[in-house]
Amino acid sequence: MEVLFKVWRQKPHQSPQLQTYKLEVQAGNTILECLNRIKWEQDGSLAFRKNCRNTICGSCSMRINGRSALACKQNVGQELEMASSSNNGDVPTITIAPLGNMPVIKDLVVDMSGFWDKLQKVDPYVSTQGRKIPEREFLQTPEERSQLDQTGNCIMCGACYSECNALTVNPEFVGPHALAKAQRMVADSRDTEVEARLETYNQGTQGVWGCTRCYYCNAVCPMEVAPMDQIGYLKQDILDRKDAQSSRAIRHRKVLIDLVKQGGWIDERKFGVFVVGNYFRDLQGLLSLAPLGLRMLSSGKFPLSFEPSEGTKEVRSLIEAVQNHD
């Protein structure tokens, strides 16, 4: 079948331009195979990364029809089936662009320096006192090793980093790839620096609290590492060690859970006062809420009363069951 490949191309210091290539392909052809043919048969100047072509190295990660994925894993049939409105007349179309949240070097090749720098910030190496005893192995039970299976599958392809909304608005956020690796370190029974790590990962919006929980990192990960889930595990480890006075981010989470347990949903009148105003302890925080409160009152959107939701007891029992299970 005939397919149009629209590729976003860009040279240094120039604006990106969309270039169209037409290929006769089969549904089972991978996107990487199609890009190879374009480069070999039509345009040798097209730049993109590739390596082993077996969904392992992660080099060929790019945005395919608006979604970050591995070009060696996605095939034409899959993309055309998922595309909702990508036809140009009678000819099906696949659009290919470079990864997001990274500067473009040329065409589909991006500068991943920031990606690797962020990874280093979580100290992605096992720290163990066992290294001081050279004649001893780093032993783990099968159960201990199984805790690393999911996070150990990460191939550092950059797909999650590319789709991260938190990084787009907050460049200081370390990113889902780094925090997934951080959880791999915390879960490793051989590591002796867990407490210090958690203190580092607890640093404001640069660490775990910078995650906006948009789920895109989970949705695009080709290896099912589920970075957002790993960030959630880190948050829980931190919450188990901290009280509500530690920081606003921790207080936000604890107040939300407490209010939902009380009323089935959030009492908005209390939420801001407890989180920002720190249970009336933070006068500056309380004053900062005044303009918002006045605007809500003037527009009739300030809740003057609170009615618990139906099934509050069931909600409370579910939360307590989860907490007791953890």
Side-chain angles (χ1 to χ4, degrees):
M1 61 178 167
E2 194 173 68
V3 176
L4 291 180
F5 290 86
K6 293 188 174 182
V7 183
W8 281 103
R9 304 199 60 187
Q10 185 173 351
K11 294 181 180 179
H13 312 298
Q14 294 185 16
S15 300
Q17 293 183 334
L18 197 60
Q19 189 164 346
T20 301
Y21 304 93
K22 186 181 293 186
L23 279 181
E24 188 70 29
V25 299
Q26 297 179 355
N29 289 143
T30 67
I31 302 302
L32 183 58
E33 289 174 330
C34 297
L35 287 173
N36 280 334
R37 285 188 54 198
I38 291 172
K39 186 174 182 68
W40 296 337
E41 301 170 10
Q42 298 185 30
D43 188 348
S45 68
L46 179 62
F48 55 92
R49 286 190 175 117
K50 63 178 181 178
N51 202 328
C52 67
R53 303 177 63 189
N54 286 303
T55 323
I56 296 297
C57 73
S59 295
C60 62
S61 189
M62 57 190 68
R63 274 181 169 161
I64 305 169
N65 283 339
R67 186 190 74 262
S68 297
L70 297 180
C72 68
K73 184 178 181 182
Q74 300 303 119
N75 63 44
V76 172
Q78 290 172 324
E79 291 304 321
L80 296 182
E81 185 178 346
M82 287 190 291
S84 57
S85 57
S86 59
N87 287 346
N88 183 357
D90 295 328
V91 183
T93 302
I94 295 175
T95 302
I96 303 174
L99 293 174
N101 288 326
M102 290 177 251
V104 176
I105 297 175
K106 183 184 178 185
D107 298 339
L108 304 176
V109 179
V110 296
D111 183 354
M112 299 185 72
S113 299
F115 174 88
W116 298 116
D117 290 344
K118 296 287 180 66
L119 180 65
Q120 292 301 316
K121 290 185 177 181
V122 302
D123 191 19
Y125 310 102
V126 176
S127 298
T128 171
Q129 294 299 321
R131 295 185 183 186
K132 297 180 180 179
I133 311 174
E135 68 275 9
R136 183 178 178 181
E137 296 178 289
F138 303 139
L139 299 178
Q140 284 184 304
T141 66
E143 292 75 18
E144 289 171 337
R145 178 59 183 82
S146 68
Q147 300 300 310
L148 313 179
D149 288 348
Q150 188 175 17
T151 50
N153 287 333
C154 179
I155 56 176
M156 294 293 159
C157 65
C160 64
Y161 192 93
S162 168
E163 299 296 335
C164 181
N165 287 327
L167 269 166
T168 303
V169 299
N170 177 20
E172 297 302 315
F173 178 51
V174 294
H177 71 304
L179 291 173
K181 180 66 74 173
Q183 168 59 17
R184 185 246 178 271
M185 297 298 111
V186 168
D188 197 315
S189 61
R190 300 165 297 177
D191 195 276
T192 59
E193 301 296 329
V194 170
E195 299 301 324
R197 289 184 185 280
L198 292 175
E199 284 296 326
T200 299
Y201 309 152
N202 186 33
Q203 300 303 311
T205 57
Q206 297 180 29
V208 295
W209 307 111
C211 172
T212 58
R213 302 178 297 281
C214 67
Y215 200 77
Y216 284 153
C217 57
N218 278 17
V220 300
C221 178
M223 304 303 290
E224 299 183 357
V225 174
M228 193 185 77
D229 294 2
Q230 310 309 325
I231 295 171
Y233 298 144
L234 288 174
K235 287 180 177 179
Q236 191 58 53
D237 284 337
I238 293 169
L239 289 167
D240 289 342
R241 291 165 167 80
K242 301 289 185 180
D243 60 28
Q245 301 306 310
S246 300
S247 69
R248 183 179 293 183
I250 291 174
R251 191 159 54 250
H252 183 282
R253 181 73 167 261
K254 290 182 178 290
V255 168
L256 185 147
I257 294 172
D258 289 344
L259 291 179
V260 172
K261 284 176 66 176
Q262 292 174 21
W265 51 40
I266 299 173
D267 185 344
E268 295 177 348
R269 302 170 307 162
K270 296 180 179 179
F271 190 70
V273 172
F274 289 173
V275 175
V276 180
N278 193 11
Y279 297 89
F280 299 97
R281 294 182 177 91
D282 186 346
L283 180 59
Q284 186 174 358
L286 289 171
L287 291 175
S288 71
L289 291 172
L292 175 62
L294 291 173
R295 289 197 300 272
M296 292 177 68
L297 281 171
S298 62
S299 60
K301 294 183 178 181
F302 189 87
L304 299 177
S305 62
F306 175 78
E307 291 292 333
S309 69
E310 295 181 6
T312 297
K313 291 183 179 179
E314 288 79 2
V315 171
R316 185 182 302 120
S317 66
L318 285 171
I319 294 174
E320 290 174 348
V322 171
Q323 290 175 330
N324 291 333
H325 176 73
D326 292 340

